[in-house]
């Protein structure tokens, strides 16, 4: 198999419905094989190219993941997909290149930049192994991306591990806050604009035109867009229009729409 479960941790995909925008999003959570131990048993050694142990294993898994998501694994009809997790590969390594070749956009690279971004510190060197990659449909609907630096910069003594700590240190170092809750920093991704029926990241006059086309259509009709059925009645009605118009107006008042 291309995705080896006893090397990579099995991928998990779940589709969510955003109740405000009425849009679905499939999120795939991953933790690909680390560089810390070898894959010599499957003829995937460290080749000395800087990508460490098991690069082929991670790259093959990334390719399989993209193919799996392209076939709607949750069977929900969701077109928006987001790959997240510790991929154990830096931004210019083969697994990330494979996902980009499959149409995914590296959101950290796009929004933060590879030189500035980091989510992990090892032996004094920083970089990012933790990724958020959006497919073609989702990318225009991404509104903000960032890293929350609560872990990587903090000393290891503050983490949750208790080895080599006295009872006094375990009690004294603890704080009821977010810091050093892991050794990696989390990523923040904001998606979707309510009222955005053409999925271009705004609620504007083009969406008004699309809503007029949807008015009166019911599930099963040609061209029916379930996102316009805000009250989930199965048909797009004037009740849905009132909901949509409130979103459009709020977006316009904020100085966004045309």
């Amino acid at each position: 198999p291309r995705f080896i479960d006893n090397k990579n941790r099995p991928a998990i995909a779940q589709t969510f419905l955003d109740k405000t925008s009425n849009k679905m999003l499939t999120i795939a959570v991953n933790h690909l094989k680390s560089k810390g131990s070898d894959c010599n048993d499957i003829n995937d050694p460290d080749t000395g190219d800087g990508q460490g142990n098991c690069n082929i294993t991670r790259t093959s898994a990334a390719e399989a993941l993209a193919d799996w998501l392209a076939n709607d694994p949750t069977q929900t009809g969701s077109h928006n997909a987001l790959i997240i997790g510790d991929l154990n590969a830096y931004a210019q390594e083969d697994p990330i290149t494979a996902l980009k070749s499959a149409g995914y956009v590296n959101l950290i690279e796009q929004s933060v930049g590879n030189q500035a971004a980091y989510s992990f510190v090892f032996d004094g060197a920083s970089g990012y192994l933790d990724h958020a990659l959006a497919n073609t449909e989702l990318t225009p609907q991404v509104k903000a991306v960032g890293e929350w630096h609560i872990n990587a910069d903090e000393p290891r003594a503050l983490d949750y591990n208790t080895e080599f700590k006295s009872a006094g240190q375990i009690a004294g170092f603890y704080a009821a806050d977010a810091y050093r809750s892991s050794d990696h920093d989390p990523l923040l991704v904001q998606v979707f604009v309510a009222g955005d029926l053409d999925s271009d990241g705004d609620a504007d006059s083009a969406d008004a035109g699309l809503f007029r086309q949807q008015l009166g259509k019911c599930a099963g009709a040609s061209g029916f867009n379930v996102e316009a059925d805000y009250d989930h009645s199965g048909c797009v009605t004037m009740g849905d229009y009132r909901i949509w118009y409130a979103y459009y107006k709020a977006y316009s008042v904020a100085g966004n729409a045309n």
Side-chain angles (χ1 to χ4, degrees), residues 185-222:
D185 288 330
L187 309 180
L188 305 174
V189 181
Q190 179 185 357
V191 297
F192 300 146
V193 168
D196 177 20
L197 295 178
D198 59 5
S199 299
D200 65 351
D202 58 26
D204 59 10
S205 57
D207 298 298
L210 288 174
F211 192 93
R212 285 193 292 270
Q213 294 174 20
Q214 289 295 312
L215 195 58
K217 287 188 177 181
C218 295
S222 177

Short mmCIF file of all heavy atoms in Angstrom, two decimals, residues 185-222:
data_model
loop_
_atom_site.label_atom_id
_atom_site.label_comp_id
_atom_site.label_asym_id
_atom_site.label_seq_id
_atom_site.Cartn_x
_atom_site.Cartn_y
_atom_site.Cartn_z
N ASP A 185 3.63 24.13 17.91
CA ASP A 185 2.64 25.21 17.96
C ASP A 185 1.42 24.85 17.10
O ASP A 185 1.57 24.29 16.01
CB ASP A 185 3.24 26.51 17.42
CG ASP A 185 4.24 27.13 18.37
OD1 ASP A 185 4.09 26.95 19.58
OD2 ASP A 185 5.19 27.79 17.89
N PRO A 186 0.22 25.22 17.56
CA PRO A 186 -0.97 25.01 16.73
C PRO A 186 -1.10 26.08 15.65
O PRO A 186 -0.52 27.16 15.75
CB PRO A 186 -2.12 25.14 17.75
CG PRO A 186 -1.57 26.00 18.83
CD PRO A 186 -0.09 25.73 18.90
N LEU A 187 -1.85 25.74 14.62
CA LEU A 187 -2.15 26.66 13.53
C LEU A 187 -3.60 27.13 13.65
O LEU A 187 -4.46 26.40 14.13
CB LEU A 187 -1.95 25.98 12.17
CG LEU A 187 -0.62 25.26 11.95
CD1 LEU A 187 -0.61 24.64 10.55
CD2 LEU A 187 0.55 26.20 12.14
N LEU A 188 -3.85 28.33 13.19
CA LEU A 188 -5.20 28.89 13.19
C LEU A 188 -5.59 29.19 11.74
O LEU A 188 -4.86 29.86 11.02
CB LEU A 188 -5.25 30.18 14.01
CG LEU A 188 -4.75 30.07 15.46
CD1 LEU A 188 -4.72 31.45 16.11
CD2 LEU A 188 -5.64 29.12 16.25
N VAL A 189 -6.75 28.67 11.33
CA VAL A 189 -7.24 28.88 9.97
C VAL A 189 -8.69 29.34 10.04
O VAL A 189 -9.53 28.63 10.59
CB VAL A 189 -7.13 27.60 9.11
CG1 VAL A 189 -7.63 27.86 7.69
CG2 VAL A 189 -5.70 27.07 9.10
N GLN A 190 -8.97 30.51 9.50
CA GLN A 190 -10.35 31.02 9.44
C GLN A 190 -10.88 30.84 8.03
O GLN A 190 -10.23 31.25 7.06
CB GLN A 190 -10.38 32.50 9.83
CG GLN A 190 -11.77 33.11 9.77
CD GLN A 190 -11.76 34.62 10.04
OE1 GLN A 190 -10.72 35.20 10.33
NE2 GLN A 190 -12.91 35.23 9.94
N VAL A 191 -12.06 30.23 7.91
CA VAL A 191 -12.64 29.98 6.59
C VAL A 191 -14.09 30.44 6.53
O VAL A 191 -14.75 30.58 7.56
CB VAL A 191 -12.57 28.47 6.23
CG1 VAL A 191 -11.13 28.00 6.12
CG2 VAL A 191 -13.32 27.62 7.24
N PHE A 192 -14.53 30.71 5.32
CA PHE A 192 -15.93 30.93 4.95
C PHE A 192 -16.45 32.33 5.32
O PHE A 192 -16.18 32.87 6.38
CB PHE A 192 -16.86 29.87 5.54
CG PHE A 192 -16.56 28.48 5.10
CD1 PHE A 192 -16.77 27.41 5.96
CD2 PHE A 192 -16.06 28.21 3.84
CE1 PHE A 192 -16.51 26.10 5.58
CE2 PHE A 192 -15.79 26.92 3.43
CZ PHE A 192 -16.02 25.87 4.31
N VAL A 193 -17.23 32.85 4.38
CA VAL A 193 -18.01 34.08 4.56
C VAL A 193 -19.47 33.70 4.37
O VAL A 193 -19.84 33.12 3.35
CB VAL A 193 -17.60 35.16 3.54
CG1 VAL A 193 -18.60 36.31 3.54
CG2 VAL A 193 -16.19 35.67 3.83
N ALA A 194 -20.30 34.01 5.35
CA ALA A 194 -21.73 33.72 5.24
C ALA A 194 -22.32 34.52 4.09
O ALA A 194 -22.07 35.72 3.95
CB ALA A 194 -22.43 34.08 6.54
N GLY A 195 -23.10 33.86 3.24
CA GLY A 195 -23.71 34.51 2.08
C GLY A 195 -22.90 34.36 0.80
O GLY A 195 -23.34 34.81 -0.26
N ASP A 196 -21.75 33.72 0.88
CA ASP A 196 -20.86 33.55 -0.28
C ASP A 196 -21.27 32.33 -1.08
O ASP A 196 -20.78 31.23 -0.86
CB ASP A 196 -19.41 33.42 0.21
CG ASP A 196 -18.42 33.16 -0.91
OD1 ASP A 196 -18.75 33.46 -2.08
OD2 ASP A 196 -17.32 32.65 -0.62
N LEU A 197 -22.16 32.50 -2.02
CA LEU A 197 -22.70 31.37 -2.77
C LEU A 197 -21.81 30.94 -3.94
O LEU A 197 -21.95 29.82 -4.44
CB LEU A 197 -24.10 31.71 -3.29
CG LEU A 197 -25.17 31.90 -2.21
CD1 LEU A 197 -26.50 32.27 -2.84
CD2 LEU A 197 -25.31 30.67 -1.33
N ASP A 198 -20.93 31.83 -4.40
CA ASP A 198 -20.04 31.44 -5.49
C ASP A 198 -18.66 31.03 -4.98
O ASP A 198 -17.74 30.79 -5.78
CB ASP A 198 -19.92 32.53 -6.56
CG ASP A 198 -19.42 33.85 -6.00
OD1 ASP A 198 -19.06 33.91 -4.81
OD2 ASP A 198 -19.38 34.84 -6.78
N SER A 199 -18.50 30.95 -3.66
CA SER A 199 -17.29 30.41 -3.02
C SER A 199 -16.01 31.12 -3.43
O SER A 199 -14.96 30.51 -3.60
CB SER A 199 -17.16 28.90 -3.32
OG SER A 199 -18.27 28.19 -2.80
N ASP A 200 -16.12 32.46 -3.56
CA ASP A 200 -14.93 33.23 -3.89
C ASP A 200 -14.44 34.06 -2.71
O ASP A 200 -13.54 34.89 -2.85
CB ASP A 200 -15.15 34.12 -5.10
CG ASP A 200 -16.20 35.21 -4.88
OD1 ASP A 200 -16.88 35.18 -3.82
OD2 ASP A 200 -16.33 36.09 -5.75
N GLY A 201 -15.04 33.86 -1.53
CA GLY A 201 -14.54 34.50 -0.34
C GLY A 201 -15.18 35.81 0.02
O GLY A 201 -14.69 36.52 0.90
N ASP A 202 -16.30 36.16 -0.61
CA ASP A 202 -17.01 37.39 -0.23
C ASP A 202 -18.51 37.20 -0.44
O ASP A 202 -18.96 36.20 -0.98
CB ASP A 202 -16.49 38.61 -1.01
CG ASP A 202 -16.61 38.43 -2.53
OD1 ASP A 202 -17.49 37.67 -2.99
OD2 ASP A 202 -15.82 39.05 -3.27
N ALA A 203 -19.29 38.18 0.01
CA ALA A 203 -20.74 38.18 -0.22
C ALA A 203 -21.05 39.47 -0.96
O ALA A 203 -21.04 40.56 -0.36
CB ALA A 203 -21.49 38.11 1.10
N ASP A 204 -21.28 39.36 -2.25
CA ASP A 204 -21.41 40.56 -3.07
C ASP A 204 -22.56 40.44 -4.07
O ASP A 204 -23.40 39.54 -3.96
CB ASP A 204 -20.09 40.87 -3.78
CG ASP A 204 -19.62 39.73 -4.68
OD1 ASP A 204 -20.40 38.77 -4.92
OD2 ASP A 204 -18.47 39.79 -5.16
N SER A 205 -22.58 41.36 -5.04
CA SER A 205 -23.67 41.39 -6.00
C SER A 205 -23.74 40.12 -6.85
O SER A 205 -24.83 39.72 -7.29
CB SER A 205 -23.54 42.62 -6.90
OG SER A 205 -22.28 42.62 -7.56
N ALA A 206 -22.60 39.49 -7.08
CA ALA A 206 -22.60 38.23 -7.83
C ALA A 206 -23.38 37.16 -7.07
O ALA A 206 -24.12 36.36 -7.66
CB ALA A 206 -21.17 37.77 -8.10
N ASP A 207 -23.22 37.15 -5.75
CA ASP A 207 -23.96 36.19 -4.93
C ASP A 207 -25.45 36.51 -4.92
O ASP A 207 -26.29 35.61 -4.87
CB ASP A 207 -23.41 36.19 -3.50
CG ASP A 207 -21.96 35.77 -3.45
OD1 ASP A 207 -21.68 34.62 -3.83
OD2 ASP A 207 -21.11 36.58 -3.06
N ALA A 208 -25.79 37.81 -4.99
CA ALA A 208 -27.21 38.19 -5.09
C ALA A 208 -27.83 37.61 -6.35
O ALA A 208 -28.95 37.09 -6.32
CB ALA A 208 -27.34 39.71 -5.07
N GLY A 209 -27.09 37.67 -7.45
CA GLY A 209 -27.59 37.11 -8.69
C GLY A 209 -27.77 35.61 -8.61
O GLY A 209 -28.75 35.05 -9.10
N LEU A 210 -26.82 34.95 -7.96
CA LEU A 210 -26.93 33.50 -7.79
C LEU A 210 -28.10 33.13 -6.91
O LEU A 210 -28.78 32.13 -7.15
CB LEU A 210 -25.62 32.95 -7.20
CG LEU A 210 -24.42 32.94 -8.15
CD1 LEU A 210 -23.17 32.51 -7.41
CD2 LEU A 210 -24.68 32.02 -9.34
N PHE A 211 -28.35 33.94 -5.87
CA PHE A 211 -29.49 33.62 -5.01
C PHE A 211 -30.80 33.73 -5.79
O PHE A 211 -31.69 32.89 -5.64
CB PHE A 211 -29.54 34.52 -3.77
CG PHE A 211 -30.53 34.01 -2.76
CD1 PHE A 211 -30.12 33.16 -1.75
CD2 PHE A 211 -31.88 34.32 -2.86
CE1 PHE A 211 -31.04 32.63 -0.85
CE2 PHE A 211 -32.80 33.80 -1.97
CZ PHE A 211 -32.37 32.95 -0.96
N ARG A 212 -30.93 34.76 -6.61
CA ARG A 212 -32.15 34.91 -7.41
C ARG A 212 -32.37 33.69 -8.30
O ARG A 212 -33.51 33.25 -8.49
CB ARG A 212 -32.07 36.18 -8.25
CG ARG A 212 -32.28 37.46 -7.45
CD ARG A 212 -32.49 38.66 -8.34
NE ARG A 212 -31.30 39.01 -9.08
CZ ARG A 212 -30.37 39.87 -8.65
NH1 ARG A 212 -30.50 40.45 -7.46
NH2 ARG A 212 -29.31 40.14 -9.37
N GLN A 213 -31.29 33.12 -8.82
CA GLN A 213 -31.41 31.92 -9.65
C GLN A 213 -31.86 30.71 -8.82
O GLN A 213 -32.52 29.80 -9.34
CB GLN A 213 -30.06 31.61 -10.31
CG GLN A 213 -29.60 32.65 -11.32
CD GLN A 213 -28.20 32.35 -11.83
OE1 GLN A 213 -27.71 31.23 -11.74
NE2 GLN A 213 -27.55 33.38 -12.37
N GLN A 214 -31.53 30.70 -7.55
CA GLN A 214 -31.88 29.57 -6.68
C GLN A 214 -33.30 29.67 -6.14
O GLN A 214 -33.90 28.65 -5.78
CB GLN A 214 -30.90 29.51 -5.50
CG GLN A 214 -29.51 29.07 -5.86
CD GLN A 214 -29.47 27.63 -6.37
OE1 GLN A 214 -30.04 26.73 -5.77
NE2 GLN A 214 -28.82 27.44 -7.51
N LEU A 215 -33.84 30.86 -6.08
CA LEU A 215 -35.14 31.08 -5.45
C LEU A 215 -36.21 30.20 -6.10
O LEU A 215 -36.40 30.22 -7.32
CB LEU A 215 -35.52 32.55 -5.56
CG LEU A 215 -36.68 33.02 -4.66
CD1 LEU A 215 -36.37 32.77 -3.19
CD2 LEU A 215 -36.95 34.50 -4.91
N GLY A 216 -36.88 29.41 -5.29
CA GLY A 216 -37.93 28.52 -5.77
C GLY A 216 -37.47 27.12 -6.10
O GLY A 216 -38.30 26.22 -6.30
N LYS A 217 -36.15 26.90 -6.14
CA LYS A 217 -35.65 25.55 -6.44
C LYS A 217 -35.69 24.69 -5.19
O LYS A 217 -35.53 25.17 -4.07
CB LYS A 217 -34.22 25.62 -6.97
CG LYS A 217 -34.11 26.15 -8.40
CD LYS A 217 -32.69 26.01 -8.93
CE LYS A 217 -32.63 26.46 -10.40
NZ LYS A 217 -31.28 26.31 -10.96
N CYS A 218 -35.89 23.39 -5.42
CA CYS A 218 -35.92 22.44 -4.32
C CYS A 218 -34.90 21.33 -4.57
O CYS A 218 -34.42 21.15 -5.70
CB CYS A 218 -37.31 21.83 -4.17
SG CYS A 218 -38.58 23.03 -3.69
N ALA A 219 -34.59 20.60 -3.51
CA ALA A 219 -33.63 19.50 -3.61
C ALA A 219 -34.04 18.55 -4.73
O ALA A 219 -35.21 18.18 -4.85
CB ALA A 219 -33.55 18.76 -2.28
N GLY A 220 -33.09 18.18 -5.54
CA GLY A 220 -33.35 17.30 -6.67
C GLY A 220 -33.49 18.03 -7.98
O GLY A 220 -33.37 17.43 -9.05
N ALA A 221 -33.75 19.33 -7.90
CA ALA A 221 -33.87 20.13 -9.13
C ALA A 221 -32.49 20.39 -9.71
O ALA A 221 -31.50 20.48 -8.98
CB ALA A 221 -34.57 21.45 -8.84
N SER A 222 -32.43 20.53 -11.02
CA SER A 222 -31.17 20.81 -11.69
C SER A 222 -30.57 22.13 -11.19
O SER A 222 -31.25 23.15 -11.15
CB SER A 222 -31.39 20.88 -13.21
OG SER A 222 -30.19 21.21 -13.87
#
